[in-house]
Amino acid sequence: MTQIGHGGKTISERVITDVAQVKKRIGGLLQLPISGRAARESIDIAYGFFSPLKGFMGKADVESVCENMTTQDGTLWPIPIVLDVESSVVKDAGLKSGQSIVLTFQHVPLAIMDISEIYSLDKMQLQQSVFGTTDAKHPGVIMYNKLNDTFLAGEITLINSPVFQPPYGQFWYTPLTMREKMAEKGWKRSVAHQTRNVPHSGHEWLMKGAWFSTHGEMPVEKLESGIVVSAIIGPKRAGDYIDEAILIGQQTLQDAGYFRPATHLVSFVMWDMRYAGPREAILHAIIRENLGCTHHMFGRDHAGVGTYYGPYDAHRIFDGLPENSLRIKPVRVLEWWYCPVCGEVTYSGLCGHDDKKQPFSGTLIRSIIQDKVKPTRLIFRPEVFDSLMRCADEYGFGSPFCNETYLEKRQPVFTLSTLD
Amino acid sequence: MPDTYPINIWINEERYEQLRKAGLADLAKDVLAGMKVLQVPCDAVQRDELLKRYPSAKFDSATTKSIELLPPDTKNQLFELVVEHSRVEIVSAFLKA
Ligand SMILES: [Zn+2]
């Protein structure tokens, strides 16, 4: 069955799995080592997470994305997807447009790239368009400043399918396998919940509220709507929750019965956060549109950082988009907080006890977890807390948060075959 | 608590029960959904001594205005001392021990 993704285009995987064929294709091709980000994005392109993109963008598309938030053909696209290389490498290897090369990662071939263009970019202009700032403290600006000065455009074909390590493997869905899974569950609608957190009750209610909105007017006897927890897996910073704990913690909500398997699915997407606020919200929507979600929840400060964006800028950007440019609907939510008068976790748009509210402060919850004191069950489900402590021992070198040891010695998210 | 650099000790149901038995329930302040905090006062000299003993710890002057990142075991010991002494002023006892 044809699967239609972003821009109304068919999602087609660009993956060769036949090793003999791969060996024939790559014989004699020049090999170019790429970064972790480029490897993750090559895999994303190949499986259709970025559909209709078939490869890394050329200069005209990048400029169009910056200026108009569309690719040259008018498809909504908010953030350039580019492959940077050292200028000296291009020169020394004599890379040319029209040439095919092998992108390698972890010292083995990952993908074939058919180079269609070699170009340079005005990074300041890029930063201003994507982030609305060129402030050197913005994490996205820092990332762009580290990019090399030369860029390669061209279509990507994956020649080495990543093998996701435990616990990641059970949560890995490509756009096509996710759509199969949704069909199996009988979902007519699904709402994506983007996360980089181990869920506390505030998160749990964000998901529940989004599910009610998504299910909307549909009959209630059949559970034909679901929540897709879509964790972002990418580079980590000291103090972040470890990736394993995020996925296992989210799954624990289901295993312990707080969500039914009939209405809940945990998954992840490999993406290096740009913290581009509203523009990044659109990219997140596109990725989940390709995954087959019909709705996407956006809370406060989505993909934001510091004070660069207003708390609800990522909500408002959807108002200005041309009709039919996205086939996924934003579900916009305010905060859930605990109210001692209501005696429950409640929605800020409903509870009027503003002076009594107790917000779910990340700093506060982090401090409680840091001390390994089991929080009250209205803050954290005890099973989730227990899973967090187990993950700390099993994967986090004793800590549920990324420390230097974890950043240095963590298990890889995926491994690649040596193609022997 | 003027001129102090408190240590926040988180109080869940279990710890609250211990505090209640020690007659100290009133000292715990409600923060979120039944989770309470007990603030153990610390002066500048004691703060510096703690930060020296526990290099992982720091005084968070920006958000919590408290001494953070003490090892969980140390926090446990501090809590036990509060219960044992029936008061929150226990840092000097802790440092002497
Ligand atoms: Zn209320």
Side-chain angles (χ1 to χ4, degrees):
Chain A
M1 197 178 130
T2 308
Q3 294 292 345
I4 303 299
H6 180 57
K9 307 269 172 38
T10 303
I11 297 177
S12 40
E13 293 189 348
R14 309 177 56 82
V15 184
I16 308 177
T17 50
D18 183 294
V19 177
Q21 200 192 335
V22 166
K23 282 186 169 171
K24 216 161 100 188
R25 285 279 297 273
I26 67 174
L29 296 186
L30 183 125
Q31 301 204 344
L32 180 72
I34 56 171
S35 67
R37 177 186 56 76
R40 287 185 279 276
E41 288 175 9
S42 296
I43 295 168
D44 288 337
I45 291 167
Y47 285 111
F49 288 88
F50 296 160
S51 184
L53 299 193
K54 295 177 178 169
F56 288 101
M57 289 178 173
K59 187 169 178 130
D61 268 338
V62 171
E63 287 177 348
S64 175
V65 163
C66 288
E67 280 164 37
N68 317 313
M69 225 162 60
T70 66
T71 51
Q72 280 183 98
D73 66 1
T75 307
L76 175 70
W77 204 276
I79 292 178
I81 302 296
V82 294
L83 177 64
D84 63 307
V85 285
E86 283 177 49
S87 308
S88 60
V89 169
V90 174
K91 210 179 279 173
D92 295 348
L95 291 186
K96 283 188 294 289
S97 174
Q99 184 179 355
S100 293
I101 57 170
V102 177
L103 306 180
T104 65
F105 183 61
Q106 297 171 352
H107 311 291
V108 292
L110 174 70
I112 297 173
M113 180 180 204
D114 304 315
I115 303 173
S116 56
E117 189 186 353
I118 300 171
Y119 62 100
S120 57
L121 283 172
D122 180 344
K123 283 197 213 166
M124 293 294 264
Q125 206 180 353
L126 194 69
Q127 292 162 3
Q128 188 62 45
S129 306
V130 175
F131 304 116
T133 177
T134 55
D135 184 351
K137 289 196 207 85
H138 186 294
V141 172
I142 293 172
M143 178 180 172
Y144 277 26
N145 278 335
K146 284 185 191 156
L147 292 177
N148 291 299
D149 290 325
T150 304
F151 297 84
L152 301 183
E155 297 188 355
I156 289 291
T157 307
L158 196 72
I159 51 173
N160 202 342
S161 306
V163 178
F164 288 90
Q165 299 301 296
Y168 301 96
Q170 62 167 310
F171 303 112
W172 171 243
Y173 294 92
T174 65
L176 294 186
T177 60
M178 177 65 90
R179 285 162 182 246
E180 264 172 44
K181 188 75 185 175
M182 287 176 176
E184 194 185 296
K185 284 179 176 279
W187 289 352
K188 292 191 172 131
R189 292 182 190 173
S190 54
V191 59
H193 170 75
Q194 141 122 1
T195 187
R196 284 178 293 137
N197 273 301
V198 173
H200 54 57
S201 312
H203 298 124
E204 191 182 315
W205 276 99
L206 277 171
M207 290 188 261
K208 289 175 175 171
W211 183 85
F212 286 121
S213 298
T214 301
H215 192 79
E217 79 292 359
M218 297 214 299
V220 289
E221 295 88 349
K222 287 185 188 166
L223 297 171
E224 292 178 330
S225 310
I227 298 159
V228 174
V229 178
S230 184
I232 291 279
I233 302 289
K236 308 294 285 187
R237 291 184 296 193
D240 291 346
Y241 279 116
I242 60 172
D243 282 334
E244 295 87 348
I246 296 171
L247 289 167
I248 291 173
Q250 295 283 353
Q251 180 62 33
T252 300
L253 279 181
Q254 183 188 114
D255 295 344
Y258 299 103
F259 287 107
R260 289 177 185 277
T263 46
H264 180 261
L265 178 73
V266 180
S267 66
F268 69 92
V269 165
M270 292 194 291
W271 171 248
D272 295 31
M273 290 288 296
R274 267 64 162 175
Y275 302 95
R279 276 205 183 220
E280 186 149 350
I282 293 181
L283 189 86
H284 292 165
I286 290 172
I287 292 172
R288 276 70 187 231
E289 178 189 11
N290 283 326
L291 282 164
C293 296
T294 54
H295 294 68
H296 195 305
M297 193 209 80
F298 292 100
R300 191 189 157 93
D301 289 321
H302 188 93
V305 61
T307 52
Y308 296 99
Y309 315 104
Y312 296 106
D313 281 3
H315 288 194
R316 290 187 201 104
I317 195 163
F318 288 92
D319 293 329
L321 298 182
E323 224 175 303
N324 303 323
S325 57
L326 267 182
R327 285 148 203 263
I328 185 168
K329 291 193 177 107
V331 173
R332 295 176 254 209
V333 289
L334 301 170
E335 276 172 273
W336 288 78
W337 62 45
Y338 178 78
C339 171
V341 185
C342 294
E344 61 197 9
V345 178
T346 181
Y347 187 59
S348 57
L350 298 171
C351 161
H353 306 114
D354 296 67
D355 54 337
K356 299 284 193 330
K357 71 177 179 193
Q358 296 176 351
F360 284 89
S361 145
T363 319
L364 187 112
I365 291 174
R366 175 173 298 267
S367 176
I368 296 171
I369 291 168
Q370 176 68 41
D371 284 2
K372 304 193 171 176
V373 179
K374 195 171 205 159
T376 54
R377 59 182 303 126
L378 274 170
I379 301 180
F380 234 83
R381 301 299 186 180
E383 297 90 342
V384 175
F385 180 77
D386 292 344
S387 82
L388 183 56
M389 292 300 118
R390 277 198 306 274
C391 285
D393 289 338
E394 196 169 339
Y395 303 105
F397 304 89
S399 168
F401 302 111
C402 297
N403 55 27
E404 277 168 31
T405 316
Y406 178 85
L407 293 175
E408 198 182 310
K409 296 185 180 161
R410 66 174 291 184
Q411 300 176 32
V413 175
F414 64 84
T415 55
L416 294 167
S417 147
T418 51
L419 296 179
D420 289 329
Chain B
M1 277 182 270
D3 215 25
T4 76
Y5 306 86
I7 302 165
N8 286 334
I9 297 188
W10 302 108
I11 307 296
N12 57 12
E13 292 100 331
E14 206 177 299
R15 282 184 168 177
Y16 189 67
E17 192 48 31
Q18 280 179 266
L19 280 184
R20 207 186 50 77
K21 282 185 187 152
L24 298 168
D26 291 348
L27 290 176
K29 208 168 63 187
D30 204 29
V31 280
L32 173 61
M35 199 78 189
K36 299 175 196 308
V37 68
L38 189 72
Q39 292 201 311
V40 171
C42 212
D43 64 29
V45 176
Q46 292 169 330
R47 174 200 61 192
D48 293 344
E49 178 60 25
L50 281 169
L51 296 185
K52 208 170 88 190
R53 275 198 207 182
Y54 303 100
S56 66
K58 66 181 173 79
F59 179 69
D60 179 351
S61 55
T63 49
T64 60
K65 313 218 182 306
S66 55
I67 298 172
E68 291 295 315
L69 300 170
L70 285 168
D73 286 350
T74 306
K75 289 282 200 79
N76 275 339
Q77 287 171 32
L78 290 167
F79 176 72
E80 296 301 336
L81 279 175
V82 170
V83 174
E84 190 187 316
H85 291 251
S86 293
R87 58 194 177 101
V88 287
E89 293 80 4
I90 45 82
V91 173
S92 56
F94 174 80
L95 289 172
K96 268 183 226 143

